[in-house]
Amino acid sequence: MRARPQVCQALLFALALQTGVCYGIKWLALSKTPAALALNQTQHCKQLEGLVSALVQLCRSNLELMHTIVHAAREVMKACRRAFADMRWNCSSIELAPNYLLDLERGTRESAFVYALSAAAISHAIARACTSGDLPGCSCGPVPGEPPGPGNRWGGCADNLSYGLLMGAKFSDAPMKVKKTGSQANKLMRLHNSEVGRQALRASLEMKCKCHGVSGSCSIRTCWKGLQELRDVAADLKTRYLSATKVVHRPMGTRKHLVPKDLDIRPVKDSELIYLQSSPDFCMKNEKVGSHGTQDRQCNKTSHGSDRCDLMCCGRGYNPYTDRVVERCHCKYHWCCYVTCRRCERTVERYVCK
């Protein structure tokens, strides 16, 4: 008896889900780790949600890193939601970790962003933990070889970016390097986007200084190299998300490579996020494709950005409502040295999508 067409389609759909499993970002489920879990014994590694076998092994051999990586998972959740708060896709499905919907299971530009941000966040958290003395295996970053400029001197404790990148890459890339996980195209795409995230982190390293001198004259400044906040790295990656390049897995010479779908006369740039599958418009709720829709989402009637009502609501219209806001007002400075304020209420008009 022949299988019915719809049965065949269901089997193909199930197979597609298996081959697209997001092994590389399942670890974001660590954000749910109970604070009471000590993480000081190797058997704790199996109690952590979202760790595939390759990461369980790394956990056992790097227990001292796990509190930092749990912190990184929580920071990814916050940074992603903050970066996309004004977009139709608002990164809410990241909170389903480790059981994602298709917006992150497939090779979409949304998954490209999350892979990049996740890789950056691990390295960022480890580099900062070295600086704060939370990790026994590292300390402050090296003093730069070049002079810091007139009136400046190197000092303080630099973020240890090199150690953060080394250990962060081991952890974030390990699941994608297992032979039996997903298609080769997906692996290449995810490894590429993870490296883009680390590149964005490198670009965020900047000189930070503190003034010294009589009466705050700032005659001498002590300087060090420090990383920007993760939200700034996320903003950079969001810009790359908006200009991401769709790629195909195509033979070039004796091997297959990812090349731009519409501009395959050039190779993929090291700095650009790439994706394999187009995303839906995220206007209507459709859990099969990972779309939560924009109904009841707040929009901005006067905005010219992606949160403006006609764009956020996909032309369906919007409903107004009033909201009472309590804020500080009539603040006065008193010598010396405190400020007193009153609490004022005002009514504002807000809008939500139909």
Side-chain angles (χ1 to χ4, degrees), residues 50-280:
L51 293 192
V52 297
S53 58
L55 294 185
V56 171
Q57 294 174 23
L58 280 172
C59 172
R60 288 171 174 164
S61 57
N62 297 277
L63 266 178
E64 72 282 358
L65 286 178
M66 294 313 297
H67 277 295
T68 302
I69 293 173
V70 167
H71 171 71
R74 291 173 180 151
E75 290 301 302
V76 170
M77 298 286 181
K78 290 190 291 185
C80 191
R81 291 299 302 268
R82 185 188 298 116
F84 283 83
D86 62 345
M87 303 281 287
R88 290 177 184 170
W89 183 81
N90 65 351
C91 200
S92 57
S93 56
I94 198 174
E95 295 173 1
L96 299 175
N99 302 308
Y100 298 107
L101 300 176
L102 287 186
D103 55 336
L104 295 179
E105 281 286 354
R106 299 184 303 172
T108 61
R109 70 167 69 211
E110 289 72 33
S111 72
F113 175 85
V114 173
Y115 270 83
L117 179 62
S118 301
I122 293 184
S123 294
H124 186 277
I126 294 173
R128 284 278 180 90
C130 291
T131 305
S132 60
D134 292 335
L135 296 178
C138 63
S139 58
C140 303
V143 176
E146 74 279 4
N152 299 334
R153 64 185 181 189
W154 291 122
C157 185
D159 289 332
N160 198 332
L161 179 59
S162 58
Y163 187 80
L165 291 170
L166 174 67
M167 300 307 297
K170 281 186 179 181
F171 196 93
S172 60
D173 291 358
M176 279 94 76
K177 293 182 177 179
V178 177
K179 290 184 178 179
K180 295 182 180 180
T181 55
S183 69
Q184 184 66 11
N186 274 316
K187 285 184 185 180
L188 291 174
M189 180 200 71
R190 289 163 181 169
L191 286 169
H192 172 91
N193 290 326
S194 294
E195 183 56 37
V196 172
R198 289 187 287 269
Q199 184 196 84
L201 185 65
R202 290 187 194 95
S204 79
L205 191 68
E206 60 186 6
M207 188 166 77
K208 300 183 178 183
C209 298
K210 182 179 181 180
C211 282
H212 303 277
V214 180
S215 300
S217 61
C218 204
S219 56
I220 299 175
R221 298 199 313 166
T222 297
C223 303
W224 63 94
K225 289 294 184 76
L227 294 167
Q228 295 176 9
E229 297 302 317
L230 187 63
R231 62 175 175 269
D232 298 315
V233 179
D236 177 10
L237 291 173
K238 183 182 177 182
T239 301
R240 304 185 196 210
Y241 158 90
L242 293 170
S243 60
T245 300
K246 189 172 185 179
V247 295
V248 292
H249 200 208
R250 183 169 295 170
M252 292 183 67
T254 58
R255 301 177 62 185
K256 279 189 171 183
H257 297 267
L258 294 178
V259 296
K261 184 176 185 296
D262 299 321
L263 299 168
D264 57 4
I265 56 173
R266 68 163 176 83
V268 169
K269 296 178 182 177
D270 293 338
S271 59
E272 64 184 336
L273 289 178
I274 58 174
Y275 64 101
L276 288 162
Q277 299 184 47
S278 298
S279 304

